[in-house]
Amino acid sequence: MDVKIAAEWKALLEEEFAKPYFKELSTKVREEYLNGPVFPHPSKVFRAFELVSPTQVRVVILGQDPYHTPGVADGLAFSSLPDNPIPPSLQNMFKEIEEEFGIRCERSPDLTRWAKQGVLLLNASLSVRSGQANSHSDFGWHLFTDAAIAAISRKCEHVVFLLWGAFAGKKEELIDWTKHLVLKSPHPSPLSAHRGFFGNNHFKLANEYLAQHGRGEIDWR
């Protein structure tokens, strides 16, 4: 597996790349791509790490795994290719942002604009088989992305972690709450957004925290 990520990430996660599980993970993922449709495109598997270096990380938004519908996943959690319809969870994220700030979000599902501001849009699994959600969740991806979250917590200062839903909420154990802001709520999925995602004020709270610590605010539009 060709790991195309910023040199800073390679240095930070060097031990992970050398571990047996990562070598097994690489083999499994390579075989999956050879044997059938897998998303995202292999060139985009590590895209979240390509766009944001460790020193640039200001916010981490954690997803579970890439969209498993053909032509949707772009390598960033909750994001999609520019010409696609806005996925339902992202629609609800935009609704919450618009309510919090009284603005209108750009009607594009491509969240590269957030990543370029230091928002790490990280899925716990970085690949998925077509039509089968969580099909690569037992390949070893979670060990790798957990290591990345722990490394951010350890090496970075004043990062906001947005953990939505029960799965993401469990990652709080990897984070030093004395150094960072951890915000938890139900997931923005249409199945759960009305249980507490709407009205959580997370985007505004994130900006307030970043501003208080001299890290600037995110333009969430």
Side-chain angles (χ1 to χ4, degrees):
M1 185 160 49
D2 188 11
V3 183
K4 295 180 179 178
I5 62 176
E8 295 94 331
W9 284 115
K10 282 195 174 182
L12 193 60
L13 299 171
E14 184 177 10
E15 291 184 4
E16 299 304 311
F17 296 127
K19 290 179 179 178
Y21 87 82
F22 194 85
K23 295 177 182 178
E24 293 174 10
L25 165 65
S26 298
T27 299
K28 289 177 181 177
V29 172
R30 188 182 300 112
E31 290 175 351
E32 287 282 300
Y33 274 104
L34 291 172
N35 291 328
V38 172
F39 308 123
H41 186 277
S43 67
K44 298 182 184 296
V45 169
F46 291 96
R47 187 163 176 251
F49 295 100
E50 292 178 48
L51 294 176
V52 188
S53 70
T55 54
Q56 294 172 327
V57 176
R58 294 196 282 168
V59 178
V60 177
I61 298 180
L62 187 67
Q64 195 156 352
D65 66 341
Y67 298 116
H68 56 268
T69 304
V72 179
D74 69 353
L76 303 178
F78 295 101
S79 180
S80 186
L81 299 169
D83 295 330
N84 285 340
I86 300 172
S89 291
L90 184 56
Q91 287 186 27
N92 286 338
M93 291 161 63
F94 285 169
K95 286 179 184 178
E96 177 60 23
I97 290 167
E98 291 173 348
E99 183 66 25
E100 290 182 25
F101 294 99
I103 58 174
R104 180 166 172 77
C105 291
E106 184 180 329
R107 308 324 285 179
S108 169
D110 180 5
L111 299 182
T112 302
R113 61 189 185 274
W114 292 3
K116 288 181 176 179
Q117 298 179 74
V119 180
L120 184 68
L121 296 156
L122 181 65
N123 279 313
S125 292
L126 300 187
S127 61
V128 69
R129 195 177 302 137
S130 179
Q132 299 182 43
N134 293 319
S135 50
H136 290 182
S137 61
D138 61 352
F139 279 19
W141 277 129
H142 291 188
L143 294 172
F144 177 74
T145 53
D146 280 1
I149 294 168
I152 294 168
S153 175
R154 189 171 62 253
K155 295 291 186 179
C156 301
E157 298 289 339
H158 307 305
V159 173
V160 180
F161 291 84
L162 301 181
L163 308 181
W164 300 326
F167 173 83
K170 295 176 183 176
K171 305 299 181 180
E172 65 180 339
E173 299 175 356
L174 303 168
I175 303 162
D176 184 347
W177 289 52
T178 67
K179 293 172 57 181
H180 308 287
L181 178 64
V182 179
L183 299 174
K184 299 171 60 181
S185 84
H187 195 275
S189 161
L191 298 175
S192 56
H194 293 279
R195 299 176 191 160
F197 177 80
F198 288 136
N200 66 17
N201 218 32
H202 279 187
F203 299 96
K204 184 171 280 188
L205 289 171
N207 274 1
E208 289 174 355
Y209 178 85
L210 292 170
Q212 288 168 5
H213 293 90
R215 304 211 64 198
E217 298 183 351
I218 305 296
D219 182 352
W220 292 109
R221 287 175 290 186

